[in-house]
Amino acid sequence: SMFPAPQLWQLSSSLKAHNIRSAPGLSASVLTTAKNGAVLQMKGAVGGWLILADGSGYTKLQCSDGSWYCPSMFPAPQLWQLSSSLKAHNIRSAPGLSASVLTTAKNGAVLQMKGAVGGWLILADGSGYTKLQCSDGSWYCPSMFPAPQ
């Protein structure tokens, strides 16, 4: 089925590379690969495979080592606040626990987020991802919050 318009999808994978194939099937030849965190435009899906927007190939939506997610972008960046019992909450290079930790946020931190993907918030400047909820803390979107000065 084709999407109404091409959509950006992001790969979250524990593998070094996720195959882009010539047809929707594991026996089809591998044309190229996508790395963890890659964002590609898809125009549709067929039998568990995503179709690249330019029609150049297909990639498996889900496998044991990773999945593609369609990030939902907020209409405008939103301020989110961290409430955590931990000293630090990780900001990672991609939406997955295997992704490298770039920096951390402390309890009470307020950051601008531009969207979410598979249970991860996307920092407004695109610099990283943080898990929306974990056993030790969560990010909240306060409905009334003063704009940053």
Side-chain angles (χ1 to χ4, degrees):
S1 64
M2 292 301 166
F3 307 139
Q7 298 174 350
L8 287 172
W9 287 67
Q10 182 155 35
L11 178 61
S12 177
S13 176
S14 60
L15 294 179
K16 287 208 176 101
H18 198 88
N19 293 328
I20 309 289
R21 296 182 180 267
S22 60
L26 294 175
S27 59
S29 58
V30 176
L31 303 174
T32 185
T33 57
K35 291 195 168 93
N36 181 46
V39 176
L40 295 176
Q41 276 209 322
M42 307 295 180
K43 68 177 179 183
V46 55
W49 292 75
L50 290 169
I51 308 163
L52 270 65
D54 63 2
S56 66
Y58 300 80
T59 183
K60 199 154 169 41
L61 180 57
Q62 285 186 300
C63 63
S64 57
D65 303 293
S67 299
W68 288 90
Y69 295 97
C70 188
S72 59
M73 291 302 170
F74 307 141
Q78 297 174 352
L79 288 170
W80 288 67
Q81 184 162 30
L82 178 62
S83 174
S84 175
S85 60
L86 294 178
K87 287 207 176 105
H89 198 88
N90 293 329
I91 309 288
R92 295 183 180 267
S93 60
L97 294 175
S98 60
S100 58
V101 175
L102 303 175
T103 185
T104 57
K106 291 196 168 88
N107 181 45
V110 176
L111 295 176
Q112 276 207 321
M113 307 295 179
K114 68 178 179 181
V117 54
W120 292 75
L121 290 169
I122 308 165
L123 270 65
D125 63 1
S127 66
Y129 301 80
T130 184
K131 198 153 170 39
L132 180 57
Q133 287 186 299
C134 64
S135 57
D136 303 293
S138 299
W139 288 91
Y140 295 96
C141 188
S143 56
M144 294 300 288
F145 219 76
Q149 298 303 313

